[in-house]
Amino acid sequence: MRSSIYGISFFFLFCIFPLVSGQLASKQSNTMITVSHQLANSSWNVEKEQNPCLWEGVTCNAPHNDSILSLSLSGFGLSNSSFLPLLCQINSLQSLDFSSNLFNSIPVEFFNSCGEIDGLKSLNFSKNMLVGSLPTFQKFVGLESLDLSFNSLNGSIDSQLNGLSALKSLNLSFNHFTGSVPSRLGKSRVLEQLELSMNRFTGEIASEIGEHGNLIKIDLSGNHLNGIIPESFVNLTKLETLILSSNQLHGAIPAGLLGITTLQRFSANQNNFVDLPSTNPSMSLKILNLSYNKITGRILPQLLLGSNLQTVDLSYNMLTGPIPVTISSSLVRLRLGSNYLSGPIPSTSFVSLPSLTYLELDNNSFTGTIPPQIGSNRKLALLNLAQNKLNGTLPDELLNLTQLEVLKLQLNKLSGEIPNQIGRLNMLSVLNISWNSLNGIIPPSISNCGKLISLNLQNNGLTGLIPDAIGNLKFLLELQLGENKLHGRIPDMPQKLQISLNLSFNNFDGPIPTTLSGLNDLEVLDLSNNRFSGTVPDFLVRLSSLSQLVLSNNQLFGDLPQFKPHVSVDINGNPQLHRPKDSPPVLSKKRKPVGVTIVITFAAAVLVVEVVAIVFLLISRRLSKVNEEQLQSLEVLSPPRVIQANMLTANGGP
Ligand SMILES: *[C@@H]1O[C@H](CO)[C@@H](O)[C@H](O)[C@H]1NC(C)=O
Ligand SMILES: *[C@@H]1O[C@H](CO)[C@@H](O)[C@H](O)[C@H]1NC(C)=O
Ligand SMILES: *[C@@H]1O[C@H](CO)[C@@H](O)[C@H](O)[C@H]1NC(C)=O
Ligand SMILES: *[C@@H]1O[C@H](CO)[C@@H](O)[C@H](O)[C@H]1NC(C)=O
Ligand SMILES: *[C@@H]1O[C@H](CO)[C@@H](O)[C@H](O)[C@H]1NC(C)=O
Ligand SMILES: *[C@@H]1O[C@H](CO)[C@@H](O)[C@H](O)[C@H]1NC(C)=O
Ligand SMILES: *[C@@H]1O[C@H](CO)[C@@H](O)[C@H](O)[C@H]1NC(C)=O
Ligand SMILES: *[C@@H]1O[C@H](CO)[C@@H](O)[C@H](O)[C@H]1NC(C)=O
Ligand SMILES: *[C@@H]1O[C@H](CO)[C@@H](O)[C@H](O)[C@H]1NC(C)=O
Ligand SMILES: *[C@@H]1O[C@H](CO)[C@@H](O)[C@H](O)[C@H]1NC(C)=O
Ligand SMILES: *[C@@H]1O[C@H](CO)[C@@H](O)[C@H](O)[C@H]1NC(C)=O
Ligand SMILES: *[C@@H]1O[C@H](CO)[C@@H](O)[C@H](O)[C@H]1NC(C)=O
């Protein structure tokens, strides 16, 4: 008797219980098994695991697990979408994620049958290969999130989305849509995220978008939109992010827009805007990018005061007047380059700003001296004051900026000597103080800047010898010492030199030194306009990467050795130097720089990402004359971060 009771209990515990309350409804289970046969993916295999709730990407309504809530087949490598309508039989579904597969179409039956699932809230087909026009979403009355980004959908958007009355998040970015930006986006106006970037939308931004008062994020960047920003946008009182970059929008920015109290990010770079809004920006504002517009007038002081402000980019505009005397202490990055700003750099603007990491004031008309106070911004990693009218000496206080990785002061009127202790800046990878009026010697301590990649001292009045220890700069790829008054022995050169070694227009004499013989990566060697004498040594022929050798205006003599045809050799102004009889003078085309890729890869391993971008820009600009426009990639979303311990983090720029 007792044992039979136990027996019955055991029966209940181990057989009935799991059958009744731990198992998927058989209809759903059968559907899943049918689908699994079509998928042929080992993580969906009823032989291995009988309970589909435990298959990868399947979420059931735990703890009962009698119905499926969501399916994620993201990254399953699927290309045949014919099974999709089957899944619509699972009417408990709330979320379907098919992102990162290889679908090029979605069967029409999918829209018919999945539209019937009232509880379906989220649909993700991002990162597939979908082509054709946007499907019509009939029914789908509960759908809150639709992500079709990163596909190749095209055509215009008319009424396809009209039925989606609960839609909160729409992402159609990175497709080929044309026509005007859709504006009727769900009658109930619950839309919060609108992402339409990187398409081919044209025309004006419909004022109706401003009537979706719940919008938190709008991204319309990378389209062909024109017209103005609708005035109605100032009514978007929950807006946090507005990105309009890279369009052809123009006119004035609506007065109240920056004042929206929730607004954290406004990026409208690469448009044709003409005015900065005159109202005070919201205290929430963190990121403001209005670079590459046609903005005139002065920078109003309140624009740079926001207590949460991190990034302001107003470069490439037509701004005039001075820099405001007070700047928010939260600022991380300030770019005011390539405007018509003038006056001195105020000594009060940049004092002990604890977060300031990137400061770019280049290509303006600033006068006066470099304020020593700049040295108090201890976090600075990039300081670019190039191409202004700054005079006076390099303040010693700059040497306090021990985090500096890029220092660009070229094309100014700086005088005096390079500080002896320049070697304290031992994080430097780019030092450019070319085209100034510096004199004195090249301080030997420069060899402590062991991370230098590019050192440019061109066109100053530097005298004396090249320091012996220069060979210690083992990452140096470019050394520009031309147009100075250097003389004497040329020491061993950094062995990695690749982009260029330029010693032209100095007072070097004697034979071309053997210290140049090991530079097997070097592409350009310029020894012109010195007093080098003797014959042209054979080791130059063996520099295997050399594409350009400039020997003009020296006192070389004898027969020029036979160089490979792709090496262009300029020997003008050496009356005693002759090309071998049977070789015609080579006017070779400028060889494509083999170095650039290596440079970039190399630099990426060591540097702040911005630095990479800069080195890349400079090198590519100089060597392959890449069109500047091509390099104006869209803004990247996260704020810039300096790399820790040689590890590269995600980029904030370009
Ligand atoms: C229910 O399903 C979830 C996965 O969806 C799983 O983690 C859990 O272990 C399942 N519970 C039971 C009792 O099977
Ligand atoms: C199965 O799906 C996983 C993702 O969970 C994917 O990594 C794998 O490549 C797929 N296997 C096959 C054979 O497609
Ligand atoms: C896609 O799968 C279905 C069902 O398994 C099959 O009938 C069809 O031939 C497949 N299509 C392609 C192009 O492989
Ligand atoms: C859709 O899937 C992609 C890729 O897995 C993911 O990055 C994206 O956040 C998803 N979309 C939504 C709205 O969750
Ligand atoms: C959309 O793309 C398809 C090919 O993917 C093409 O046949 C069709 O003409 C395109 N439609 C439009 C409106 O561009
Ligand atoms: C599309 O946009 C939504 C809403 O902003 C976002 O959650 C999702 O991650 C985006 N998708 C991708 C692939 O980035
Ligand atoms: C902003 O909203 C108010 C109230 O709904 C409305 O009266 C006004 O016309 C709107 N302003 C714009 C510019 O659309
Ligand atoms: C300097 O600034 C002007 C004005 O924005 C711009 O047109 C020019 O291209 C800039 N020059 C450089 C070298 O960036
Ligand atoms: C720097 O230039 C200013 C004019 O812009 C001039 O008044 C000043 O004397 C100059 N200072 C030096 C050290 O050359
Ligand atoms: C900054 O540099 C100046 C001049 O080199 C020096 O006198 C001063 O002590 C330095 N400040 C700090 C905080 O190290
Ligand atoms: C340094 O400045 C010169 C002069 O403007 C410029 O040609 C060169 O590209 C700059 N190099 C670097 C690495 O900044
Ligand atoms: C602003 O946008 C431009 C592209 O127009 C980009 O190059 C730049 O890096 C952005 N500025 C910041 C600070 O992110």
Side-chain angles (χ1 to χ4, degrees):
M1 187 69 185
R2 261 191 169 195
S3 64
S4 70
I5 293 173
Y6 275 125
I8 292 165
S9 316
F10 269 108
F11 181 74
F12 269 89
L13 268 173
F14 293 105
C15 304
I16 304 206
F17 183 78
L19 279 178
V20 172
S21 60
Q23 206 170 53
L24 205 51
S26 64
K27 190 177 168 224
Q28 297 198 354
S29 190
N30 290 340
T31 303
M32 291 295 282
I33 290 164
T34 313
V35 168
S36 75
H37 292 320
Q38 297 199 17
L39 288 191
N41 188 302
S42 55
S43 38
W44 280 40
N45 188 332
V46 75
E47 317 281 290
K48 275 196 194 163
E49 172 52 62
Q50 290 187 336
N51 184 357
C53 289
L54 299 175
W55 293 353
E56 192 174 337
V58 182
T59 307
C60 294
N61 61 335
H64 302 296
N65 281 359
D66 53 7
S67 57
I68 298 174
L69 300 182
S70 80
L71 293 177
S72 170
L73 290 162
S74 181
F76 271 49
L78 304 169
S79 55
N80 187 339
S81 61
S82 66
F83 73 92
L84 290 178
L86 274 175
L87 292 175
C88 303
Q89 294 170 5
I90 304 172
N91 60 8
S92 56
L93 279 174
Q94 296 174 3
S95 160
L96 281 172
D97 179 359
F98 303 112
S99 62
S100 304
N101 282 295
L102 306 161
F103 296 141
N104 53 29
S105 67
I106 306 170
V108 179
E109 310 87 79
F110 173 82
F111 295 100
N112 295 337
S113 42
C114 272
E116 307 278 356
I117 307 175
D118 287 350
L120 189 62
K121 290 197 171 75
S122 160
L123 199 50
N124 194 343
F125 278 97
S126 170
K127 302 181 184 170
N128 276 278
M129 301 165 74
L130 300 174
V131 294
S133 55
L134 183 69
T136 297
F137 289 83
Q138 281 165 348
K139 309 189 189 107
F140 287 96
V141 288
L143 199 67
E144 293 179 0
S145 166
L146 176 61
D147 193 343
L148 294 168
S149 60
F150 296 93
N151 280 288
S152 301
L153 295 167
N154 66 2
S156 58
I157 301 177
D158 305 311
S159 56
Q160 294 98 313
L161 300 169
N162 285 9
L164 297 174
S165 52
L167 201 61
K168 288 185 179 164
S169 166
L170 175 65
N171 194 341
L172 302 178
S173 57
F174 290 88
N175 277 285
H176 307 315
F177 289 117
T178 51
S180 48
V181 162
S183 55
R184 279 163 303 165
L185 301 157
K187 288 172 218 89
S188 42
R189 303 266 157 83
V190 290
L191 195 67
E192 293 171 1
Q193 322 270 349
L194 178 59
E195 308 240 19
L196 302 173
S197 65
M198 303 306 283
N199 278 286
R200 296 164 189 171
F201 289 116
T202 52
E204 304 193 358
I205 302 173
S207 169
E208 284 85 347
I209 290 179
E211 292 166 15
H212 294 270
N214 285 305
L215 276 168
I216 294 169
K217 176 173 186 182
I218 301 176
D219 186 350
L220 305 178
S221 59
N223 282 290
H224 307 299
L225 302 172
N226 54 37
I228 59 169
I229 301 179
E231 197 66 39
S232 63
F233 274 28
V234 302
N235 267 354
L236 296 171
T237 54
K238 295 178 180 170
L239 198 62
E240 293 174 7
T241 303
L242 178 57
I243 306 177
L244 303 172
S245 316
S246 224
N247 279 290
Q248 286 124 40
L249 299 165
H250 64 83
I253 293 164
L257 194 66
L258 288 189
I260 295 175
T261 55
T262 48
L263 193 67
Q264 294 179 18
R265 173 166 184 216
F266 178 50
S267 293
N269 47 287
Q270 286 174 275
N271 280 286
N272 298 319
F273 292 112
V274 296
D275 269 333
L276 286 175
S278 55
T279 44
N280 288 359
S282 138
M283 279 298 150
S284 313
L285 196 65
K286 287 185 183 155
I287 301 177
L288 176 64
N289 193 345
L290 290 169
S291 62
Y292 295 93
N293 277 287
K294 297 183 170 140
I295 301 173
T296 56
R298 295 170 158 243
I299 302 173
L300 298 174
Q302 62 265 30
L303 196 66
L304 300 182
L305 282 178
S307 52
N308 287 300
L309 208 55
Q310 291 173 359
T311 294
V312 175
D313 192 345
L314 301 175
S315 54
Y316 288 91
N317 279 291
M318 298 186 281
L319 294 164
T320 50
I323 293 183
V325 292
T326 317
I327 282 173
S328 166
S329 64
S330 57
L331 213 59
V332 174
R333 180 170 183 155
L334 180 61
R335 308 184 75 195
L336 300 176
S338 293
N339 279 286
Y340 304 122
L341 299 168
S342 58
I345 299 173
S347 61
T348 52
S349 302
F350 306 104
V351 183
S352 302
L353 300 177
S355 309
L356 191 65
T357 311
Y358 308 90
L359 179 58
E360 293 161 82
L361 306 178
D362 55 299
N363 190 17
N364 281 288
S365 297
F366 293 117
T367 51
T369 57
I370 299 175
Q373 290 84 351
I374 281 193
S376 65
N377 301 292
R378 289 313 191 76
K379 268 212 165 163
L380 269 184
L382 186 155
L383 178 60
N384 187 352
L385 306 177
Q387 228 176 328
N388 279 291
K389 296 172 180 158
L390 300 170
N391 63 8
T393 58
L394 291 175
D396 276 342
E397 284 78 359
L398 284 184
L399 303 175
N400 287 349
L401 296 173
T402 50
Q403 304 297 308
L404 263 191
E405 298 184 36
V406 175
L407 178 57
K408 305 201 353 166
L409 303 172
Q410 74 268 19
L411 296 160
N412 278 294
K413 298 175 178 166
L414 300 168
S415 55
E417 301 191 353
I418 301 175
N420 260 330
Q421 300 299 312
I422 187 81
R424 282 176 62 189
L425 303 181
N426 58 11
M427 300 291 280
L428 273 185
S429 58
V430 174
L431 176 60
N432 198 343
I433 37 183
S434 60
W435 299 87
N436 279 290
S437 302
L438 299 168
N439 52 39
I441 60 161
I442 302 175
S445 81
I446 192 86
S447 62
N448 294 339
C449 303
K451 294 186 173 170
L452 272 176
I453 288 176
S454 170
L455 175 58
N456 194 334
L457 307 178
Q458 180 98 2
N459 201 304
N460 279 287
L462 300 172
T463 52
L465 308 170
I466 302 178
D468 267 342
I470 196 114
N472 294 354
L473 299 177
K474 56 177 186 292
F475 296 121
L476 201 67
L477 302 177
E478 174 176 33
L479 180 57
Q480 302 281 352
L481 299 176
E483 295 169 276
N484 281 293
K485 297 173 190 158
L486 302 168
H487 72 273
R489 195 184 97 86
I490 293 169
D492 284 334
M493 284 290 144
Q495 293 296 299
K496 282 262 173 62
L497 275 180
Q498 178 183 28
I499 297 166
S500 180
L501 171 59
N502 183 350
L503 304 175
S504 66
F505 291 94
N506 276 290
N507 298 328
F508 295 111
D509 55 13
I512 294 178
T514 54
T515 48
L516 304 179
S517 64
L519 304 175
N520 279 317
D521 296 333
L522 191 64
E523 295 178 6
V524 179
L525 175 60
D526 190 347
L527 303 175
S528 66
N529 296 284
N530 282 288
R531 292 193 305 274
F532 285 113
S533 55
T535 57
V536 176
D538 277 337
F539 66 72
L540 290 180
V541 175
R542 293 192 294 271
L543 298 184
S544 52
S545 303
L546 201 64
S547 66
Q548 201 183 353
L549 175 63
V550 191
L551 300 173
S552 49
N553 301 318
N554 279 292
Q555 295 157 14
L556 299 163
F557 56 76
D559 280 344
L560 186 70
Q562 185 79 55
F563 284 86
K564 300 232 172 60
H566 67 262
V567 185
S568 111
V569 186
D570 183 350
I571 61 167
N572 287 325
N574 294 279
Q576 315 281 331
L577 182 59
H578 306 288
R579 290 184 192 274
K581 280 253 159 51
D582 50 343
S583 80
V586 191
L587 286 172
S588 91
K589 280 181 281 170
K590 207 168 174 183
R591 202 171 60 137
K592 232 192 174 159
V594 290
V596 174
T597 359
I598 307 167
V599 172
I600 296 157
T601 325
F602 168 75
V606 211
L607 295 172
V608 173
V609 184
E610 273 64 27
V611 176
V612 177
I614 286 154
V615 172
F616 172 69
L617 255 155
L618 293 165
I619 291 166
S620 50
R621 204 179 270 164
R622 208 167 53 80
L623 290 180
S624 40
K625 305 241 188 309
V626 173
N627 179 0
E628 185 138 324
E629 295 307 301
Q630 294 175 321
L631 294 161
Q632 301 313 323
S633 57
L634 273 187
E635 259 209 349
V636 184
L637 301 176
S638 54
R641 277 174 283 172
V642 181
I643 13 157
Q644 326 272 320
N646 285 356
M647 297 264 289
L648 201 65
T649 62
N651 180 16

